[in-house]
Amino acid sequence: MQPRVLAIVGVGLIGGSVGLAVRRNGGVRVLGVDCDTTALSRAKQRGIVDEACADLETAAAVADLVLFCTPVDRTVQQVLTAAAKCRAGTILSDVGSTKAAIQRSLHGRLPSRVAFVGGHPLAGSEKQGSESARPDLFRDRVVILTPTADSDAEAVERVSSFWQSIGARVQCMTPEAHDCAVALTSHLPHLVASALASLLPPELAELTAGGFHDTTRVAAGDPQLWSAILDANREEILSVLAPFEHRLRDFRAALDAGDREAVRSLLAAGRDRRSAIRPTA
Amino acid sequence: MQPRVLAIVGVGLIGGSVGLAVRRNGGVRVLGVDCDTTALSRAKQRGIVDEACADLETAAAVADLVLFCTPVDRTVQQVLTAAAKCRAGTILSDVGSTKAAIQRSLHGRLPSRVAFVGGHPLAGSEKQGSESARPDLFRDRVVILTPTADSDAEAVERVSSFWQSIGARVQCMTPEAHDCAVALTSHLPHLVASALASLLPPELAELTAGGFHDTTRVAAGDPQLWSAILDANREEILSVLAPFEHRLRDFRAALDAGDREAVRSLLAAGRDRRSAIRPTA
């Protein structure tokens, strides 16, 4: 079920970690594609890929799985470019943080001899680049696949096996259910962390501790990458921003009134939901 | 400059960590006081204190430094109770997350033979109890001391030396400047983390990853403890909640308008401030 030739398009943190994990397992020829040729040759030197390919179409023509680990606003164009050169039976998949917009854009535009399966590993870091890549980044992490009614069942199964082979647990859902879930579990936290971090005057940086550091960690992520994600999922994000703002108003009202029991009750609701999350290693 | 007898009032995470750190250095007799007698005997068993004292007044009468590691809404009453029994020259200090309210309440109510110095170590965890205590909790962490115009300079110096002896860096500022700073660096992040965590439906807990986990980590803290902190510093918190809500409205407007450049610019502001924080070990 494993691909013989895997092309990784975009050898940053995610693509690089896929490369390290696959090469540790062995048995798969890993091609790296990246428009940043310096990043690409570094990835080759570090053993993240077997071969560096400057050209997407060349890699697409020989791969049987092409995995797009590119910013979400570039995925559609790159998938279309690659698909035109793929041999029959090639599977294309991605790791983008939003799914519905990409899959709607691709709908009806791919040659029938290839299959596209949307995917999103729930793993990452505020760090960027293949120098932060780790072969165990996906171990015990959830990878969401988002097949649609017209998805090829065998292709979905093969992409699922691929992720499982590098330690991930796979869940399938619709692209829309995915985008709705991650708006709350990932995109809103990013926006909130960024808003909080932006309020810190430089002279108070010395007076921050673990609470501030953790609450704002993701705000160190790449603004370019994240503005594309937030923009692609903006309707779902606006839908979860509203109840968040409402909850802040509840806190404001309780503090304004000096109603400590109301404050305690709001904090208890947060504590209960937070404590329901299974601790990760 | 070290105390000969240290009484720690409240042997939870902070008090317990102080006990472990002081006993590792040696040369100080450490008394533990706690109304929770089970917690107290566990602390004795774990070597956090030399002696367990059920009674605050007995411990206060023999200590030369009494450190209150109790919830902020209990500190004033306990300091007054202890101070009445202290010998001349005894220093009382605390580790409370808010300072102005406590120090205002104590003003003019302490016997002149004792000195009170407000303090706040910027270290902690969402975990509670002495079972989470660590002797290195204060290593390289900032401890803020908040002397006022009528504080005894020698007492401030002795409390400062005490914290330095267990690895902390000491900064002095007014109680008001402290409360204003931590409203932004600690209390607002706590409130925000809690509001965010409270929105998570149980069925999405499986779909959270590092971003959600870190952004909401502190929400697992004790609601009772934290409602007392937020209530004691509510005016300062409301002052920083306003610009935070304003920043969220900026994000909302940018997303609503589909203005990706505005979103990028907001994220860049957060990234820049976050990146200015010196990484901690």
Side-chain angles (χ1 to χ4, degrees):
Chain A
M1 292 294 269
Q2 284 300 91
R4 284 166 302 108
V5 182
L6 165 69
I8 298 172
V9 185
V11 283
L13 171 71
I14 301 293
S17 296
V18 169
L20 287 174
V22 168
R23 295 196 73 227
R24 189 158 69 170
N25 282 350
V28 179
R29 184 174 150 218
V30 180
L31 310 181
V33 182
D34 206 301
C35 51
D36 179 344
T37 53
T38 313
L40 191 54
S41 52
R42 253 203 325 263
K44 169 87 169 71
Q45 277 161 18
R46 288 196 56 217
I48 288 172
V49 298
D50 293 300
E51 290 167 47
C53 271
D55 179 52
L56 172 59
E57 293 173 318
T58 310
V62 296
D64 39 15
L65 173 61
V66 187
L67 186 64
F68 295 85
C69 304
T70 46
V72 291
D73 54 342
R74 298 201 204 145
T75 305
V76 169
Q77 192 48 55
Q78 294 198 308
V79 168
L80 292 174
T81 302
K85 300 292 175 179
C86 286
R87 294 168 306 165
T90 302
I91 297 171
L92 303 97
S93 188
D94 79 322
V95 303
S97 299
T98 65
K99 300 267 64 80
I102 290 172
Q103 289 178 244
R104 270 198 302 266
S105 293
L106 289 173
H107 185 73
R109 297 169 72 190
L110 291 173
S112 61
R113 69 182 186 285
V114 304
F116 178 83
V117 180
H120 178 206
L122 302 185
S125 164
E126 75 284 9
K127 302 195 184 91
Q128 293 136 39
S130 67
E131 51 279 19
S132 303
R134 300 190 285 116
D136 62 348
L137 188 66
F138 310 107
R139 177 150 305 280
D140 289 327
R141 295 312 183 96
V142 171
V143 172
I144 301 175
L145 298 184
T146 52
T148 54
D150 53 357
S151 292
D152 180 287
E154 194 194 321
V156 175
E157 183 52 39
R158 285 184 60 190
V159 174
S160 179
S161 294
F162 170 75
W163 283 109
Q164 287 167 12
S165 76
I166 56 174
R169 293 177 289 132
V170 172
Q171 284 194 31
C172 287
M173 58 180 71
T174 65
E176 292 72 23
H178 166 275
D179 287 2
C180 176
V182 296
L184 178 63
T185 62
S186 171
H187 304 168
L188 179 63
H190 195 96
L191 187 161
V192 162
S194 179
L196 197 53
S198 72
L199 297 182
L200 185 73
E203 67 273 17
L204 289 191
E206 265 289 291
L207 298 185
T208 59
F212 193 90
H213 298 173
D214 282 4
T215 312
T216 61
R217 178 181 63 79
V218 296
D222 181 8
Q224 193 71 38
L225 203 71
W226 275 93
S227 58
I229 293 169
L230 300 187
D231 186 60
N233 203 26
R234 62 205 186 87
E235 282 176 31
E236 295 293 353
I237 295 167
L238 289 169
S239 297
V240 290
L241 182 54
F244 178 70
E245 289 175 303
H246 193 279
R247 199 59 55 109
L248 293 183
R249 285 195 294 275
D250 292 342
F251 267 110
R252 170 177 289 287
L255 289 170
D256 247 336
D259 185 348
R260 195 198 296 183
E261 175 49 30
V263 174
R264 197 205 58 74
S265 166
L266 287 165
L267 293 175
R271 191 265 322 268
D272 292 348
R273 294 300 175 92
R274 182 59 182 82
S275 303
I277 299 175
R278 200 169 54 98
T280 50
Chain B
M1 291 295 269
Q2 284 300 92
R4 285 167 300 112
V5 182
L6 166 68
I8 299 172
V9 184
V11 285
L13 172 70
I14 301 292
S17 295
V18 169
L20 287 173
V22 169
R23 294 196 74 229
R24 188 159 71 170
N25 283 349
V28 179
R29 185 174 150 217
V30 180
L31 311 181
V33 182
D34 207 300
C35 52
D36 179 345
T37 53
T38 314
L40 191 55
S41 51
R42 256 202 325 265
K44 170 87 170 69
Q45 277 160 19
R46 289 196 56 219
I48 288 172
V49 298
D50 293 297
E51 291 166 48
C53 273
D55 178 53
L56 172 59
E57 293 173 319
T58 309
V62 296
D64 39 13
L65 175 60
V66 187
L67 186 65
F68 295 84
C69 304
T70 45
V72 291
D73 54 341
R74 297 200 206 147
T75 304
V76 169
Q77 191 49 56
Q78 293 197 310
V79 168
L80 292 174
T81 302
K85 299 293 174 180
C86 286
R87 292 170 306 165
T90 302
I91 297 172
L92 303 97
S93 189
D94 80 322
V95 302
S97 298
T98 65
K99 301 267 64 84
I102 290 173
Q103 290 180 242
R104 269 198 303 268
S105 293
L106 289 174
H107 185 73
R109 295 170 72 191
L110 291 172
S112 60
R113 70 182 186 284
V114 304
F116 179 83
V117 179
H120 178 205
L122 302 185
S125 163
E126 75 284 9
K127 304 197 184 87
Q128 293 136 38
S130 67
E131 51 278 19
S132 302
R134 301 190 284 116
D136 62 349
L137 188 66
F138 309 106
R139 177 150 306 281
D140 288 326
R141 296 312 183 95
V142 171
V143 172
I144 300 175
L145 298 185
T146 52
T148 54
D150 53 356
S151 291
D152 180 289
E154 195 196 319
V156 175
E157 184 51 42
R158 286 182 62 187
V159 174
S160 179
S161 295
F162 171 75
W163 283 108
Q164 286 168 13
S165 76
I166 57 175
R169 292 177 290 130
V170 172
Q171 283 193 30
C172 288
M173 58 180 71
T174 65
E176 291 72 24
H178 166 275
D179 286 2
C180 175
V182 298
L184 179 63
T185 62
S186 170
H187 305 168
L188 179 63
H190 194 96
L191 187 161
V192 162
S194 178
L196 196 54
S198 73
L199 296 181
L200 185 74
E203 66 273 18
L204 290 190
E206 265 290 289
L207 299 184
T208 60
F212 193 90
H213 298 173
D214 283 3
T215 312
T216 61
R217 179 183 60 80
V218 295
D222 180 9
Q224 193 70 39
L225 204 68
W226 275 92
S227 59
I229 293 169
L230 299 187
D231 185 61
N233 202 27
R234 63 205 184 85
E235 283 177 30
E236 295 294 351
I237 295 167
L238 289 168
S239 297
V240 291
L241 182 53
F244 178 70
E245 289 175 304
H246 193 277
R247 199 58 56 108
L248 293 183
R249 285 195 294 274
D250 292 342
F251 267 109
R252 168 175 292 285
L255 289 170
D256 246 336
D259 184 348
R260 196 199 296 183
E261 175 49 29
V263 173
R264 197 206 55 76
S265 167
L266 287 166
L267 292 175
R271 191 264 323 265
D272 292 347
R273 296 299 176 91
R274 183 61 182 82
S275 303
I277 299 176
R278 201 169 54 98
T280 49

